[in-house]
Amino acid sequence: MAALTVAMGFALWPEPGAWLGAGVLHIAVTLLAMFGAPIQFTEHTLVVSTLRVPWSDDCAGVAFFAILPLVACWSSWTAGGKTGLWRILGMPLVLACLINLLRVASIVLCRWWLLPEVESQQLHFFLGFVWLLPALWLLLPAAIVKQTWLKALNLSAILAMFTPHLQAPGGALIAVATSLVLCLRLSAPAGNQQSTPGWTAHTLWLLAAGWIILSRMESLWLPWLLMWPGLSPHRPTLLIWLLLPATLPLAAMHGLWSLLVFGPICLLAGRSLGRQLYIKMPSTPSIQRSWQTQVLWTCALLLPFVILNLGSEKEQPMDQPPYVIRSERIAEGRHLLHLSQQPKAMRVDWISPQQGGRHHTLSVCMAYRGEHLHHTEEAPTVFTDGRVWRREYFLVKGHLLETYRAYLLHSFLPGSGAGVHLIFSVNAGAMPVRDFESQARLLAHQVHQQQQQALAFHQ
């Protein structure tokens, strides 16, 4: 009971876990620096030699301290008998510290050898959940782990894929729809429903992956993972197919209209799940697979992250700052602009497409760097963390777009390109928020106009 109370505390109050995880990581960095390793912490950044890795609260491994003690308590309860406090509390906390160190080290190694300039947020989240798998292997009975390995990997991939969407428009609906689709697929449907032939379902699933790769529509990876045939031997029901579009940002971002369309479907899905729990319908049985099949499907489930992080496409002239604008390259795909009418206190960032993927919202981009933004009351289009005003625009196919919704609509179709993300920022004390909003709008139109002039001259 004491272990369960502590485990629930880490889940409901994450600050102790963040403090413990960050403390262990700082100790490890300090020890490495003492032995001559070129590593140090700066604000929101882990610096390894010339490599700079963004740092945020998630790097403290809060999820590990919340999940692993609860898993250990559940494992002890299912095994029966008495279990020592070390096994159900001490070991999970030590594992949480250890796998968080391994997670950060794996991110650094991926950056060092594979992605020297950039990497997607999905990679950060996915490596965190992947490092949970060996910990689960130690905490759970061996029989359970062998049966659920691929399901655990699939769940890790799904969590890693939709986590960056949570702070984007429609993120709550995406999370609810994803959870409901998962629960419906993991539960046995009512009636004597026939199963889809394995080879047919898996062939169609792999062909869908090929189409996503060719079209570069990375938002489709989440529903692709949800429809993995190995998750359930049963055909997806009509209710699942109706819920699946709600996992796409383009369908979930429309506020009230999205809720009016998908809200009743979510309620119907919740009612269906509640009925299954009430009559105690069994969950879907685990599928026994050979080790060769396990390896094959493990590689398939890792495919979206390989494509997202290693894909490349030819640079387009519209993705680079116009030659008529004085710019300063500060990183791969990122420039500082110096405009003629730009106030000295204001900063303008030009962010080109990275690995061909669509840009995230400003809130998600800054949360990745440890800054958590919210809208300002005086100017709803301006974001702030209390210290800095920020405003975003997008340049897509010659259009200047002021909202993320418009950006998704213009960049959704295959071959449309990810466009350019413009971010304007200034210290909150430098100017009133309304003045900053109007200045950012003027400068954004200036950039757009000069881009059009440069393209016309280039042609």
Short mmCIF file of all heavy atoms in Angstrom, two decimals, residues 299-342:
data_model
loop_
_atom_site.label_atom_id
_atom_site.label_comp_id
_atom_site.label_asym_id
_atom_site.label_seq_id
_atom_site.Cartn_x
_atom_site.Cartn_y
_atom_site.Cartn_z
N CYS A 299 10.67 -3.83 -37.20
CA CYS A 299 11.22 -2.91 -38.20
C CYS A 299 10.11 -2.09 -38.86
O CYS A 299 10.27 -0.89 -39.11
CB CYS A 299 12.00 -3.68 -39.26
SG CYS A 299 13.48 -4.50 -38.65
N ALA A 300 8.97 -2.72 -39.14
CA ALA A 300 7.86 -2.01 -39.78
C ALA A 300 7.33 -0.90 -38.87
O ALA A 300 7.03 0.21 -39.33
CB ALA A 300 6.74 -2.99 -40.13
N LEU A 301 7.22 -1.17 -37.57
CA LEU A 301 6.69 -0.18 -36.64
C LEU A 301 7.67 0.97 -36.42
O LEU A 301 7.26 2.08 -36.02
CB LEU A 301 6.34 -0.84 -35.31
CG LEU A 301 5.15 -1.81 -35.35
CD1 LEU A 301 5.00 -2.55 -34.03
CD2 LEU A 301 3.85 -1.08 -35.69
N LEU A 302 8.95 0.73 -36.67
CA LEU A 302 9.94 1.80 -36.56
C LEU A 302 10.02 2.65 -37.83
O LEU A 302 10.66 3.70 -37.84
CB LEU A 302 11.32 1.21 -36.26
CG LEU A 302 11.50 0.51 -34.91
CD1 LEU A 302 12.88 -0.10 -34.83
CD2 LEU A 302 11.28 1.48 -33.76
N LEU A 303 9.38 2.20 -38.91
CA LEU A 303 9.49 2.86 -40.21
C LEU A 303 9.13 4.35 -40.19
O LEU A 303 9.87 5.16 -40.76
CB LEU A 303 8.64 2.12 -41.24
CG LEU A 303 8.66 2.65 -42.67
CD1 LEU A 303 10.05 2.54 -43.24
CD2 LEU A 303 7.66 1.87 -43.53
N PRO A 304 8.01 4.76 -39.55
CA PRO A 304 7.68 6.20 -39.59
C PRO A 304 8.78 7.08 -39.03
O PRO A 304 9.02 8.18 -39.56
CB PRO A 304 6.41 6.28 -38.72
CG PRO A 304 5.82 4.91 -38.77
CD PRO A 304 6.99 3.99 -38.85
N PHE A 305 9.48 6.63 -38.00
CA PHE A 305 10.50 7.47 -37.38
C PHE A 305 11.76 7.51 -38.21
O PHE A 305 12.46 8.53 -38.24
CB PHE A 305 10.77 6.95 -35.96
CG PHE A 305 9.53 6.90 -35.13
CD1 PHE A 305 8.78 5.74 -35.05
CD2 PHE A 305 9.07 8.03 -34.48
CE1 PHE A 305 7.61 5.70 -34.32
CE2 PHE A 305 7.89 7.99 -33.75
CZ PHE A 305 7.16 6.84 -33.67
N VAL A 306 12.06 6.43 -38.93
CA VAL A 306 13.19 6.45 -39.86
C VAL A 306 12.91 7.44 -40.99
O VAL A 306 13.76 8.26 -41.35
CB VAL A 306 13.44 5.04 -40.42
CG1 VAL A 306 14.52 5.07 -41.50
CG2 VAL A 306 13.83 4.09 -39.30
N ILE A 307 11.69 7.40 -41.52
CA ILE A 307 11.32 8.30 -42.64
C ILE A 307 11.30 9.75 -42.17
O ILE A 307 11.81 10.65 -42.85
CB ILE A 307 9.95 7.90 -43.22
CG1 ILE A 307 10.01 6.46 -43.77
CG2 ILE A 307 9.53 8.87 -44.31
CD1 ILE A 307 11.05 6.25 -44.85
N LEU A 308 10.72 10.01 -41.00
CA LEU A 308 10.59 11.38 -40.51
C LEU A 308 11.95 12.02 -40.25
O LEU A 308 12.13 13.22 -40.43
CB LEU A 308 9.76 11.42 -39.23
CG LEU A 308 8.24 11.30 -39.39
CD1 LEU A 308 7.59 11.12 -38.04
CD2 LEU A 308 7.69 12.54 -40.08
N ASN A 309 12.92 11.21 -39.82
CA ASN A 309 14.19 11.78 -39.39
C ASN A 309 15.30 11.66 -40.43
O ASN A 309 16.28 12.38 -40.35
CB ASN A 309 14.64 11.10 -38.10
CG ASN A 309 13.74 11.48 -36.94
OD1 ASN A 309 13.83 12.58 -36.43
ND2 ASN A 309 12.87 10.57 -36.54
N LEU A 310 15.15 10.76 -41.39
CA LEU A 310 16.20 10.58 -42.38
C LEU A 310 15.77 10.99 -43.78
O LEU A 310 16.57 10.97 -44.69
CB LEU A 310 16.68 9.13 -42.42
CG LEU A 310 17.28 8.60 -41.12
CD1 LEU A 310 17.76 7.18 -41.30
CD2 LEU A 310 18.43 9.48 -40.66
N GLY A 311 14.49 11.33 -43.94
CA GLY A 311 14.03 11.73 -45.27
C GLY A 311 14.63 13.06 -45.68
O GLY A 311 15.01 13.89 -44.87
N SER A 312 14.73 13.26 -46.94
CA SER A 312 15.28 14.51 -47.46
C SER A 312 14.59 14.84 -48.77
O SER A 312 14.05 13.99 -49.45
CB SER A 312 16.79 14.40 -47.69
OG SER A 312 17.07 13.40 -48.63
N GLU A 313 14.62 16.09 -49.09
CA GLU A 313 14.06 16.50 -50.38
C GLU A 313 14.87 17.68 -50.90
O GLU A 313 15.58 18.37 -50.16
CB GLU A 313 12.59 16.90 -50.22
CG GLU A 313 12.36 18.09 -49.33
CD GLU A 313 10.89 18.46 -49.26
OE1 GLU A 313 10.05 17.68 -49.72
OE2 GLU A 313 10.60 19.57 -48.76
N LYS A 314 14.79 17.88 -52.19
CA LYS A 314 15.55 18.94 -52.82
C LYS A 314 15.06 20.30 -52.34
O LYS A 314 13.87 20.55 -52.25
CB LYS A 314 15.40 18.84 -54.34
CG LYS A 314 16.23 19.86 -55.11
CD LYS A 314 16.04 19.67 -56.59
CE LYS A 314 16.84 20.71 -57.37
NZ LYS A 314 16.66 20.56 -58.83
N GLU A 315 16.03 21.18 -52.00
CA GLU A 315 15.68 22.51 -51.53
C GLU A 315 15.07 23.32 -52.68
O GLU A 315 15.55 23.27 -53.81
CB GLU A 315 16.91 23.23 -50.98
CG GLU A 315 17.38 22.68 -49.65
CD GLU A 315 18.48 23.54 -49.06
OE1 GLU A 315 18.95 24.47 -49.77
OE2 GLU A 315 18.86 23.31 -47.90
N GLN A 316 14.03 24.06 -52.36
CA GLN A 316 13.37 24.91 -53.33
C GLN A 316 13.79 26.36 -53.11
O GLN A 316 14.07 26.77 -51.98
CB GLN A 316 11.85 24.77 -53.19
CG GLN A 316 11.33 23.36 -53.37
CD GLN A 316 11.58 22.84 -54.77
OE1 GLN A 316 11.52 23.60 -55.75
NE2 GLN A 316 11.84 21.54 -54.89
N PRO A 317 13.83 27.17 -54.17
CA PRO A 317 14.22 28.57 -53.99
C PRO A 317 13.32 29.32 -53.01
O PRO A 317 13.79 30.20 -52.29
CB PRO A 317 14.09 29.14 -55.41
CG PRO A 317 14.23 27.96 -56.31
CD PRO A 317 13.64 26.80 -55.57
N MET A 318 12.04 28.95 -52.95
CA MET A 318 11.12 29.65 -52.06
C MET A 318 11.37 29.31 -50.60
O MET A 318 10.86 30.00 -49.71
CB MET A 318 9.67 29.29 -52.43
CG MET A 318 9.28 29.71 -53.82
SD MET A 318 7.57 29.27 -54.25
CE MET A 318 6.67 30.38 -53.20
N ASP A 319 12.15 28.25 -50.32
CA ASP A 319 12.42 27.87 -48.94
C ASP A 319 13.60 28.64 -48.35
O ASP A 319 13.85 28.53 -47.15
CB ASP A 319 12.72 26.36 -48.85
CG ASP A 319 11.51 25.52 -49.24
OD1 ASP A 319 10.38 26.04 -49.14
OD2 ASP A 319 11.70 24.35 -49.65
N GLN A 320 14.33 29.39 -49.19
CA GLN A 320 15.48 30.16 -48.72
C GLN A 320 15.13 31.65 -48.69
O GLN A 320 14.31 32.12 -49.47
CB GLN A 320 16.68 29.92 -49.64
CG GLN A 320 17.09 28.47 -49.76
CD GLN A 320 17.42 27.87 -48.42
OE1 GLN A 320 18.16 28.46 -47.62
NE2 GLN A 320 16.91 26.68 -48.14
N PRO A 321 15.73 32.42 -47.77
CA PRO A 321 15.45 33.86 -47.72
C PRO A 321 15.77 34.53 -49.05
O PRO A 321 16.79 34.19 -49.69
CB PRO A 321 16.36 34.37 -46.61
CG PRO A 321 16.66 33.17 -45.77
CD PRO A 321 16.67 32.01 -46.71
N PRO A 322 14.94 35.45 -49.52
CA PRO A 322 15.23 36.16 -50.78
C PRO A 322 16.57 36.89 -50.71
O PRO A 322 16.97 37.38 -49.65
CB PRO A 322 14.05 37.13 -50.91
CG PRO A 322 12.99 36.59 -50.02
CD PRO A 322 13.69 35.89 -48.90
N TYR A 323 17.25 36.97 -51.84
CA TYR A 323 18.56 37.61 -51.87
C TYR A 323 18.48 39.10 -51.54
O TYR A 323 19.48 39.72 -51.14
CB TYR A 323 19.22 37.41 -53.24
CG TYR A 323 18.56 38.16 -54.36
CD1 TYR A 323 18.98 39.43 -54.72
CD2 TYR A 323 17.49 37.59 -55.07
CE1 TYR A 323 18.36 40.13 -55.75
CE2 TYR A 323 16.87 38.27 -56.09
CZ TYR A 323 17.31 39.55 -56.43
OH TYR A 323 16.69 40.22 -57.45
N VAL A 324 17.27 39.70 -51.71
CA VAL A 324 17.14 41.13 -51.45
C VAL A 324 17.00 41.42 -49.95
O VAL A 324 17.01 42.58 -49.54
CB VAL A 324 15.90 41.70 -52.18
CG1 VAL A 324 16.12 41.65 -53.69
CG2 VAL A 324 14.64 40.93 -51.80
N ILE A 325 16.88 40.38 -49.13
CA ILE A 325 16.78 40.54 -47.68
C ILE A 325 18.11 40.12 -47.06
O ILE A 325 18.62 39.03 -47.33
CB ILE A 325 15.64 39.70 -47.09
CG1 ILE A 325 14.30 40.17 -47.65
CG2 ILE A 325 15.63 39.78 -45.56
CD1 ILE A 325 13.11 39.36 -47.13
N ARG A 326 18.67 40.98 -46.26
CA ARG A 326 19.90 40.64 -45.55
C ARG A 326 19.58 39.60 -44.48
O ARG A 326 18.71 39.82 -43.63
CB ARG A 326 20.52 41.89 -44.92
CG ARG A 326 21.92 41.65 -44.34
CD ARG A 326 22.63 42.98 -44.10
NE ARG A 326 21.89 43.80 -43.15
CZ ARG A 326 22.10 43.80 -41.84
NH1 ARG A 326 23.02 43.00 -41.32
NH2 ARG A 326 21.41 44.59 -41.06
N SER A 327 20.26 38.48 -44.52
CA SER A 327 19.97 37.38 -43.59
C SER A 327 21.26 36.80 -43.04
O SER A 327 22.33 36.93 -43.64
CB SER A 327 19.15 36.28 -44.28
OG SER A 327 19.86 35.71 -45.34
N GLU A 328 21.11 36.13 -41.91
CA GLU A 328 22.25 35.52 -41.22
C GLU A 328 21.89 34.07 -40.89
O GLU A 328 20.92 33.81 -40.17
CB GLU A 328 22.56 36.29 -39.95
CG GLU A 328 23.63 35.67 -39.08
CD GLU A 328 23.77 36.39 -37.75
OE1 GLU A 328 23.09 37.44 -37.56
OE2 GLU A 328 24.52 35.90 -36.89
N ARG A 329 22.65 33.12 -41.42
CA ARG A 329 22.39 31.71 -41.16
C ARG A 329 22.90 31.34 -39.78
O ARG A 329 24.08 31.51 -39.47
CB ARG A 329 23.07 30.84 -42.22
CG ARG A 329 22.80 29.35 -42.09
CD ARG A 329 23.53 28.59 -43.20
NE ARG A 329 23.26 27.16 -43.14
CZ ARG A 329 23.94 26.30 -42.38
NH1 ARG A 329 24.93 26.75 -41.60
NH2 ARG A 329 23.64 25.01 -42.39
N ILE A 330 21.99 30.84 -38.91
CA ILE A 330 22.39 30.50 -37.55
C ILE A 330 22.35 28.99 -37.31
O ILE A 330 22.88 28.51 -36.30
CB ILE A 330 21.48 31.20 -36.51
CG1 ILE A 330 20.01 30.84 -36.73
CG2 ILE A 330 21.68 32.71 -36.57
CD1 ILE A 330 19.08 31.41 -35.68
N ALA A 331 21.71 28.24 -38.18
CA ALA A 331 21.67 26.78 -38.08
C ALA A 331 21.15 26.25 -39.41
O ALA A 331 20.72 27.01 -40.29
CB ALA A 331 20.77 26.31 -36.93
N GLU A 332 21.19 24.92 -39.56
CA GLU A 332 20.66 24.31 -40.78
C GLU A 332 19.18 24.62 -40.92
O GLU A 332 18.37 24.30 -40.05
CB GLU A 332 20.87 22.80 -40.75
CG GLU A 332 20.35 22.07 -41.96
CD GLU A 332 21.14 22.40 -43.21
OE1 GLU A 332 22.32 22.78 -43.09
OE2 GLU A 332 20.58 22.27 -44.31
N GLY A 333 18.81 25.29 -42.03
CA GLY A 333 17.41 25.61 -42.27
C GLY A 333 16.86 26.74 -41.44
O GLY A 333 15.64 26.94 -41.39
N ARG A 334 17.74 27.52 -40.79
CA ARG A 334 17.26 28.61 -39.94
C ARG A 334 18.12 29.85 -40.16
O ARG A 334 19.36 29.78 -40.10
CB ARG A 334 17.29 28.20 -38.47
CG ARG A 334 16.69 29.23 -37.53
CD ARG A 334 16.40 28.63 -36.18
NE ARG A 334 15.75 29.60 -35.30
CZ ARG A 334 15.16 29.29 -34.16
NH1 ARG A 334 15.13 28.04 -33.74
NH2 ARG A 334 14.60 30.21 -33.42
N HIS A 335 17.45 30.99 -40.41
CA HIS A 335 18.13 32.25 -40.65
C HIS A 335 17.51 33.36 -39.81
O HIS A 335 16.31 33.34 -39.52
CB HIS A 335 18.02 32.66 -42.14
CG HIS A 335 18.69 31.71 -43.08
ND1 HIS A 335 18.12 30.49 -43.43
CD2 HIS A 335 19.87 31.79 -43.76
CE1 HIS A 335 18.93 29.88 -44.29
NE2 HIS A 335 19.98 30.64 -44.51
N LEU A 336 18.34 34.32 -39.44
CA LEU A 336 17.86 35.57 -38.85
C LEU A 336 17.75 36.61 -39.97
O LEU A 336 18.70 36.79 -40.75
CB LEU A 336 18.83 36.07 -37.78
CG LEU A 336 18.75 35.44 -36.39
CD1 LEU A 336 19.78 36.08 -35.47
CD2 LEU A 336 17.35 35.61 -35.80
N LEU A 337 16.60 37.27 -40.05
CA LEU A 337 16.38 38.28 -41.08
C LEU A 337 16.63 39.67 -40.50
O LEU A 337 16.31 39.95 -39.33
CB LEU A 337 14.94 38.20 -41.61
CG LEU A 337 14.49 36.86 -42.21
CD1 LEU A 337 13.11 37.01 -42.82
CD2 LEU A 337 15.50 36.34 -43.24
N HIS A 338 17.18 40.53 -41.34
CA HIS A 338 17.42 41.93 -40.96
C HIS A 338 16.71 42.79 -42.01
O HIS A 338 17.24 43.01 -43.11
CB HIS A 338 18.91 42.23 -40.90
CG HIS A 338 19.66 41.34 -39.95
ND1 HIS A 338 19.63 41.49 -38.58
CD2 HIS A 338 20.44 40.25 -40.18
CE1 HIS A 338 20.37 40.57 -38.00
NE2 HIS A 338 20.88 39.79 -38.95
N LEU A 339 15.51 43.27 -41.66
CA LEU A 339 14.68 44.00 -42.61
C LEU A 339 14.88 45.50 -42.46
O LEU A 339 15.30 46.00 -41.40
CB LEU A 339 13.21 43.63 -42.38
CG LEU A 339 12.91 42.12 -42.46
CD1 LEU A 339 11.51 41.83 -41.96
CD2 LEU A 339 13.10 41.62 -43.87
N SER A 340 14.52 46.23 -43.52
CA SER A 340 14.76 47.67 -43.54
C SER A 340 13.95 48.41 -42.49
O SER A 340 14.42 49.38 -41.91
CB SER A 340 14.47 48.22 -44.93
OG SER A 340 13.11 47.95 -45.30
N GLN A 341 12.71 47.99 -42.24
CA GLN A 341 11.85 48.69 -41.30
C GLN A 341 11.73 47.96 -39.95
O GLN A 341 10.82 48.22 -39.18
CB GLN A 341 10.45 48.85 -41.90
CG GLN A 341 10.45 49.63 -43.21
CD GLN A 341 9.05 49.71 -43.82
OE1 GLN A 341 8.08 49.24 -43.25
NE2 GLN A 341 8.98 50.32 -44.99
N GLN A 342 12.66 47.07 -39.67
CA GLN A 342 12.58 46.24 -38.48
C GLN A 342 13.09 46.99 -37.25
O GLN A 342 14.22 47.52 -37.26
CB GLN A 342 13.42 44.97 -38.70
CG GLN A 342 13.46 44.03 -37.53
CD GLN A 342 14.30 42.80 -37.84
OE1 GLN A 342 14.55 42.48 -39.02
NE2 GLN A 342 14.75 42.11 -36.82
#
